[in-house]
Amino acid sequence: MSKLRLVERAASDDLRARVHFCTETGQIWLHEHRMLLVHAEAQASLRKELIDTLGMDRAQGLLTRMGYASGVRDAELARTRAQNASDLEAFMTGPQLHTLEGIVRVTPVKLELDRVAGKFYGEFLWENSWEGQWHRHFYGIHSAPVCWTQIGYACGYTSAFMGRTILYKEVECVGAGQANCRIVGKPAEEWDDAAEQMRFFAPEPIADRILDLQTQVAQLRSRIDDKEKLPADMVGVSPGFRAAYELLKQAAASQITVLLLGETGVGKEMFARCLHESGARRDEPFIAVNCAAIPPELVEAELFGVEKGAYTGALVSRQGRFERANGGSLFLDEIGDLPLAAQAKLLRVLQDGEIERLGDQKTRRVKVRLIAATNSDLQQLVREGRFRSDLYYRLNAYQIRIPPLRERKEDVSVLAKRFLEKHSALYGKKLRGFTDKAKRALLAYAWPGNIRELENMIERGVILAPSGTRIEVNHLFSSHPGEPARELGLDPHGGLEDNRWEAGRSLCEAIFNGVMTLDQLEVMLLETAIDKARGNLSSAARMLGLTRPQFAYRLKHMHDVPKT
Ligand SMILES: [Zn+2]
């Protein structure tokens, strides 16, 4: 029991440190999950209304499932602590969170668990049960236990933690007239009435029916929309993206040359491909060329082809990209980097549909839809004499500007989700999405590298996040993006304090005011470290950044210091 107590206290201290009140942004964080501070009475009214409209039985089911869902979430947090703690310590996260969240004061009475063997037995005392007290307030003493959300929480938490179904029952309940509640939990098969208990975990058939119908409607609708379906990464709801996409759709039906403008990484090739796929030439070739990636002296040969003997080394005749794209589309990225000689030839194709291979007198006819793209200012290049003005006007006839990701904030979540699915599949990982804090960081970031940067970052997150968890901020960003908002933590009495400074400041005050001496402070530090290291002096020393001999030296002298 005393071991349980110790474990309990350590867990509680550590958890308090994970609660942050961010008054500037109006958010409360528990680790990386967003929490709410709500009025118990308002919550109780909602519970009452559920009971009054749905009936006791249905409401019990709904509330049990709601509790179950938050239990499962808290188990995720417990799992993040499991790496550096014993099973017992990690498990105590749940009861401590239940207490910290203000729902019920949980005290373990008996707890035996073995995750590997799948063994579990738990008995807990519940004091100040929020749910029991309010139920009694509205409905008087009930014939059966009433802490449904809390029981759901215990089942969800423990089942997720143990990786098998664990069921709890209230053997005493304040709502049923006892002074406190008391719960017992064990694996489902050890209960005689497991089926009866578990019926509350099954969603209502009526809800299932509605969901089924919704799915059917969505499937039918998607079949109708199939012709307009976007390629995998062409997603977005932001006005900027929709406007660009509308222009693209209108151009798809014609053969007009299109110029795509946008920063590096906005997905110009994806837009070009989409234009090709949406047009009548979708079954013909789509050839992409990055003009900046080809040495200037080779560009003409690459684009227009070479006849055998055109220059030393041209041993065989070779088709250029234009010929290979014949009938389909040719995408020229970074067109501003095209040398002037190649620009002249390009203009000729656009005007007459004719090309000549290098070293060949014969003209060849090609039917190619040209899609050009650039992230440089072509007008400026024209002024500097590096880009032909006649070619510029030809290309500029139909331009589409693809907005950078920072102007498409609404699309970040959709894209992030898409890339998460893609890379989880590629790496064969099952992840549960992003933590609330990670989502917030993705939205706050300015994305200088645009969609490509987002995709790379999500890929990094998929690689770093352990299977079965959510991607956290530090899985995405190697350093924290920008200055984080000031967050307030909880002091041991549950008061708000600035994590970084307040605690230190009150210690300084204590020393200046003679409440405590420097030596006593050192004693406190040493004792706390030994406590946290469970008596292991080497690891206690490490916690304080000391060597073991340094630690032992200080320890030896501490017995002379009078305690406060
Ligand atoms: Zn109860």
Side-chain angles (χ1 to χ4, degrees):
M1 188 57 204
S2 76
K3 189 182 170 208
L4 262 183
R5 278 275 177 220
L6 260 179
V7 163
E8 209 190 331
R9 195 185 316 141
S12 144
D13 287 348
D14 175 47
L15 277 180
R16 251 200 331 264
R18 296 192 190 216
V19 180
H20 298 279
F21 286 77
C22 190
T23 47
E24 281 159 41
T25 61
Q27 286 157 322
I28 305 171
W29 300 100
L30 173 60
H31 186 51
E32 296 207 349
H33 295 303
R34 187 172 175 177
M35 305 295 283
L36 297 174
L37 194 60
V38 294
H39 287 276
E41 186 168 358
Q43 196 75 358
S45 308
L46 176 65
R47 185 181 183 278
K48 180 174 187 299
E49 199 165 326
L50 278 177
I51 294 173
D52 294 346
T53 48
L54 298 174
M56 284 278 178
D57 228 42
R58 275 227 166 92
Q60 180 173 359
L62 203 66
L63 291 164
T64 309
R65 288 193 295 281
M66 190 177 113
Y68 193 93
S70 53
V72 169
R73 268 228 144 175
D74 280 356
E76 285 176 28
L77 177 52
R79 234 176 291 141
T80 66
R81 311 168 92 205
Q83 289 117 4
N84 19 21
S86 66
D87 274 4
L88 205 62
E89 254 177 311
F91 179 83
M92 284 310 292
T93 308
Q96 290 297 341
L97 281 174
H98 227 178
T99 305
L100 186 69
E101 287 162 10
I103 294 170
V104 61
R105 176 169 184 222
V106 191
T107 310
V109 177
K110 194 172 177 197
L111 179 57
E112 292 163 4
L113 69 103
D114 184 340
R115 271 213 281 187
V116 181
K119 286 210 169 82
F120 185 88
Y121 180 85
E123 217 179 300
F124 300 88
L125 173 68
W126 274 358
E127 291 166 285
N128 296 327
S129 159
W130 163 81
E131 202 169 13
Q133 285 173 352
W134 279 100
H135 191 95
R136 196 157 152 178
H137 171 82
F138 284 127
Y139 298 100
I141 289 181
H142 199 68
S143 56
V146 299
C147 302
W148 304 323
T149 323
Q150 296 170 198
I151 279 291
Y153 177 96
C155 295
Y157 175 80
T158 311
S159 301
F161 185 87
M162 293 295 296
R164 59 178 308 188
T165 308
I166 308 289
L167 296 178
Y168 282 85
K169 215 184 221 182
E170 274 191 283
V171 289
E172 285 170 32
C173 179
V174 68
Q178 276 95 15
N180 289 302
C181 309
R182 186 180 292 273
I183 62 166
V184 171
K186 47 190 185 179
E189 55 282 9
E190 292 174 27
W191 291 100
D192 297 332
D193 57 350
E196 168 68 12
Q197 290 186 60
M198 277 167 73
R199 88 193 151 91
F200 290 113
F201 296 113
E204 295 284 322
I206 181 85
D208 276 347
R209 285 275 303 283
I210 293 171
L211 281 177
D212 273 352
L213 288 171
Q214 265 178 0
T215 316
Q216 280 180 32
V217 171
Q219 281 170 349
L220 287 172
R221 190 169 285 154
S222 80
R223 230 167 279 162
I224 295 167
D225 292 345
D226 227 16
K227 280 181 194 145
E228 289 190 55
K229 226 168 95 190
L230 303 181
D233 299 344
M234 282 289 280
V235 288
V237 290
S238 64
F241 172 82
R242 298 307 313 178
Y245 183 66
E246 279 309 310
L247 278 174
L248 191 82
K249 257 187 3 192
Q250 282 163 21
S254 74
Q255 289 310 316
I256 194 165
T257 297
V258 171
L259 178 64
L260 301 173
L261 300 173
E263 291 171 13
T264 307
V266 291
K268 290 187 287 264
E269 178 164 350
M270 186 182 71
F271 265 74
R273 211 172 269 280
C274 181
L275 181 62
H276 174 75
E277 298 287 337
S278 327
R281 302 177 177 214
R282 68 175 71 90
D283 297 325
E284 302 296 331
F286 173 86
I287 306 284
V289 183
N290 183 348
C291 301
I294 306 172
E297 64 277 13
L298 295 182
V299 165
E300 285 178 60
E302 255 326 291
L303 292 181
F304 306 106
V306 181
E307 201 57 32
K308 186 178 166 183
Y311 51 83
T312 340
L315 300 176
V316 285
S317 301
R318 199 155 45 88
Q319 282 191 334
R321 307 283 180 119
F322 266 100
E323 280 177 78
R324 275 190 266 160
N326 199 9
S329 310
L330 179 68
F331 172 55
L332 293 183
D333 200 359
E334 308 287 4
I335 197 157
D337 286 28
L338 212 55
L340 282 166
Q343 289 179 25
K345 289 198 169 180
L346 179 59
L347 187 65
R348 186 170 162 209
V349 196
L350 289 178
Q351 282 168 342
D352 311 326
E354 286 180 352
I355 57 159
E356 268 168 27
R357 289 181 183 175
L358 276 187
D360 193 5
Q361 301 306 314
K362 200 167 81 186
T363 56
R364 295 163 200 263
R365 293 204 63 80
V366 286
K367 280 186 84 172
V368 170
R369 192 232 189 108
L370 185 73
I371 308 164
T374 182
N375 64 352
S376 39
D377 182 353
L378 287 185
Q379 251 177 317
Q380 179 63 27
L381 294 181
V382 169
R383 277 196 293 273
E384 291 169 7
R386 287 158 61 197
F387 203 84
R388 292 179 66 110
S389 59
D390 43 8
L391 180 59
Y392 170 71
Y393 290 117
R394 186 102 204 174
L395 292 175
N396 201 37
Y398 198 99
Q399 55 158 279
I400 301 175
R401 181 182 169 272
I402 307 169
L405 195 52
R406 66 180 169 279
E407 291 173 20
R408 297 175 56 186
K409 283 282 146 122
E410 301 92 326
D411 300 337
V412 171
S413 312
V414 195
L415 286 164
K417 199 172 154 234
R418 198 123 211 179
F419 293 138
L420 176 65
E421 282 163 8
K422 177 176 160 187
H423 291 286
S424 310
L426 278 173
Y427 289 97
K429 257 194 173 169
K430 278 197 187 121
L431 294 170
R432 292 157 173 252
F434 302 90
T435 63
D436 296 334
K437 215 166 201 172
K439 282 184 208 161
R440 188 182 108 182
L442 288 175
L443 288 178
Y445 188 59
W447 301 111
N450 289 299
I451 295 185
R452 195 180 300 152
E453 187 183 11
L454 174 64
E455 177 162 11
N456 292 342
M457 198 178 278
I458 305 288
E459 183 175 9
R460 177 189 143 92
V462 168
I463 293 169
L464 292 180
S467 248
T469 64
R470 283 171 210 270
I471 294 183
E472 299 184 0
V473 177
N474 63 351
H475 298 142
L476 297 170
F477 298 87
S478 35
S479 57
H480 199 279
E483 177 65 18
R486 202 173 75 110
E487 292 182 348
L488 302 171
L490 291 183
D491 66 21
H493 312 291
L496 288 185
E497 65 177 13
D498 185 308
N499 285 347
R500 284 164 295 181
W501 301 113
E502 288 307 323
R505 200 169 290 151
S506 58
L507 271 175
C508 288
E509 288 299 314
I511 290 166
F512 285 126
N513 296 336
V515 178
M516 186 187 223
T517 67
L518 256 182
D519 287 336
Q520 285 165 343
L521 173 60
E522 186 180 352
V523 169
M524 256 176 81
L525 279 172
L526 297 175
E527 281 181 346
T528 310
I530 295 173
D531 232 38
K532 279 189 187 287
R534 287 194 291 274
N536 181 333
L537 292 194
S538 300
S539 69
R542 258 200 309 281
M543 283 178 192
L544 293 174
L546 298 173
T547 63
R548 198 181 180 285
Q550 283 170 336
F551 189 86
Y553 176 82
R554 284 164 190 259
L555 202 61
K556 219 176 96 190
H557 290 268
M558 105 183 181
H559 297 293
D560 313 330
V561 179
K563 290 196 175 182
T564 38

